[in-house]
Amino acid sequence: DVKVTQSSRYLVKRTGEKVFLECVQDMDHENMFWYRQDPGLGLRLIYFSYDVKMKEKGDIPEGYSVSREKKERFSLILESASTNQTSMYLCASRRGGTNTGELFFGEGSRLTVL
Amino acid sequence: SQQGEEDPQALSIQEGENATMNCSYKTSINNLQWYRQNSGRGLVHLILIRSNEREKHSGRLRVTLDTSKKSSSLLITASRAADTASYFCATDRWGGGYNKLIFGAGTRLAVHP
């Protein structure tokens, strides 16, 4: 059974802390994505990666960075957490190539920044 | 900016009724996908329709795509209480050298027994 695993379902952090959100997929997918989800705004793309060590900015990259050192792992980093980064964060993956297809999502990480 | 916009934002129906959700988008797409999300969980893929297709079925789901109007609809027939969830459309488009999947804000569906 295919799986995208996010390391933490719930996190509570303080303003200014550095936060790491980890995502691992076991499907050998080339493409990985980080979205944040807020009520009324749907899912917004933060960063994505099409290959190891490769990253591209999505629609809302400010305040975030990412790391993809291995194919199966895509990490989202909040260098200095702020209260407006309180949100649900969703990681997803899919196979690469020109025949794009469905995304497989993790269960989400709900982050609260105090 | 969001590519897809669903309407209605919320829909409340009785079991056995049909539920129709609509999605509009602004730019050319490769395909359009519908996802379902149960409260507090990740999204699950329901159906994908390519830009050269007009209609697709999967079980009780029927999706249509009108590229001239840049719109799609998702119909759930004979709804069940277990269909209660949020439904999102996502457009797969080429831009900046990559394919990206952009989501709308979703429709919250409540199916009452």
Side-chain angles (χ1 to χ4, degrees):
Chain A
D1 203 16
V2 296
K3 203 161 185 180
V4 177
T5 302
Q6 294 185 229
S7 55
S8 304
R9 288 294 310 275
Y10 301 95
L11 304 95
V12 179
K13 299 291 181 181
R14 297 207 174 272
T15 300
E17 281 192 79
K18 191 168 186 175
V19 182
F20 292 88
L21 300 179
E22 305 284 345
C23 175
V24 177
Q25 49 94 4
D26 64 0
M27 296 165 280
D28 201 36
H29 284 168
E30 288 80 11
N31 303 343
M32 296 189 75
F33 303 80
W34 274 106
Y35 291 88
R36 68 175 278 177
Q37 182 177 23
D38 300 288
L41 296 177
L43 279 73
R44 293 180 290 168
L45 183 61
I46 304 171
Y47 267 96
F48 57 103
S49 168
Y50 280 83
D51 204 349
V52 177
K53 296 190 186 294
M54 173 271 178
K55 60 186 177 185
E56 286 294 326
K57 293 180 180 178
D59 296 322
I60 52 163
E62 297 78 19
Y64 304 94
S65 62
V66 290
S67 171
R68 188 146 182 223
E69 295 297 316
K70 294 185 178 181
K71 189 176 185 179
E72 67 270 21
R73 187 180 297 269
F74 191 37
S75 303
L76 180 69
I77 303 155
L78 288 67
E79 293 289 342
S80 178
S82 63
T83 55
N84 62 13
Q85 292 178 310
T86 291
S87 186
M88 169 74 102
Y89 291 88
L90 292 162
C91 174
S93 73
R94 70 176 175 183
R95 62 181 172 84
T98 56
N99 280 332
T100 56
E102 66 179 282
L103 289 180
F104 292 86
F105 280 86
E107 287 295 302
S109 298
R110 185 167 294 280
L111 172 67
T112 300
V113 183
L114 303 176
Chain B
S1 61
Q2 290 299 310
Q3 168 75 320
E5 294 184 5
E6 292 94 335
D7 80 270
Q9 291 185 343
L11 183 59
S12 182
I13 60 174
Q14 297 295 125
E15 260 190 333
E17 294 180 341
N18 295 342
T20 299
M21 289 159 269
N22 302 298
C23 171
S24 61
Y25 58 92
K26 297 174 184 174
T27 64
S28 296
I29 61 171
N30 299 316
N31 63 65
L32 186 144
Q33 303 179 28
W34 285 90
Y35 288 79
R36 168 195 167 122
Q37 183 182 36
N38 289 344
S39 181
R41 309 296 295 273
L43 278 72
V44 175
H45 181 261
L46 294 175
I47 198 165
L48 179 154
I49 186 165
R50 301 200 181 280
S51 60
N52 60 354
E53 297 176 311
R54 291 297 166 258
E55 188 171 313
K56 206 160 183 181
H57 296 255
S58 177
R60 292 184 296 113
L61 306 180
R62 173 177 167 252
V63 169
T64 62
L65 179 64
D66 186 335
T67 53
S68 66
K69 295 181 179 178
K70 292 186 169 57
S71 67
S72 173
S73 68
L74 170 68
L75 169 67
I76 304 174
T77 60
S79 63
R80 306 166 182 167
D83 294 328
T84 294
S86 291
Y87 293 82
F88 295 86
C89 73
T91 49
D92 204 342
R93 59 190 175 98
W94 181 262
Y98 304 100
N99 280 311
K100 293 191 291 187
L101 207 59
I102 304 296
F103 287 80
T107 293
R108 294 188 313 280
L109 173 65
V111 182
H112 302 285

